[in-house]
Amino acid sequence: MIELDTTNMCSHLQKKLFNEDGVYYPIWQAMQTDNEITAVVRARQLHIYRKGKKILVLPGKAAPKIIREDSLNKLLPKELLK
């Protein structure tokens, strides 16, 4: 189970990540069951790591940034990756 300090997280990102109808909610669910995943909030964005290597950055309003190929990336809606 991942615990995040959401005090510096963008409110748009919080809605997308934690609400059941949010576009990032499937990623949040997958992160909860994957022991290799860690995450930290930096500059109001969520930086996601697998085994210490950054794989994904989820902002509130901008498009997500895929850093490395990973199974979590497949959970992103295609329309966000344009």
Side-chain angles (χ1 to χ4, degrees), residues 14-26 77:
Q14 287 182 23
K15 291 175 188 172
K16 289 179 175 182
L17 192 63
F18 300 128
N19 290 348
E20 287 187 27
D21 60 342
V23 293
Y24 297 150
Y25 187 74

Side-chain angles (χ1 to χ4, degrees), residues 64-78:
K65 297 174 191 98
I66 296 174
I67 309 299
R68 286 187 168 74
E69 287 301 317
D70 192 83
S71 59
L72 282 184
N73 301 344
K74 295 175 183 154
L75 299 174
L76 288 169
K78 300 292 184 216

Side-chain angles (χ1 to χ4, degrees), residues 4-18:
L4 291 174
D5 178 10
T6 60
T7 55
N8 292 324
M9 185 183 283
C10 172
S11 62
H12 292 95
L13 177 57
Q14 287 182 23
K15 291 175 188 172
K16 289 179 175 182
L17 192 63
F18 300 128

Side-chain angles (χ1 to χ4, degrees), residues 2-10 13 17-18 28 31-32 36-50 52-59 72:
I2 292 181
E3 294 182 25
L4 291 174
D5 178 10
T6 60
T7 55
N8 292 324
M9 185 183 283
C10 172
L13 177 57
L17 192 63
F18 300 128
W28 177 246
M31 289 170 56
Q32 298 306 306
E36 295 179 340
I37 297 286
T38 56
V40 65
V41 177
R42 288 197 184 115
R44 302 176 52 90
Q45 301 174 338
L46 184 64
H47 295 245
I48 303 171
Y49 299 82
R50 181 179 299 279
K53 295 186 178 185
K54 189 184 293 187
I55 58 171
L56 187 61
V57 177
L58 299 178
L72 282 184

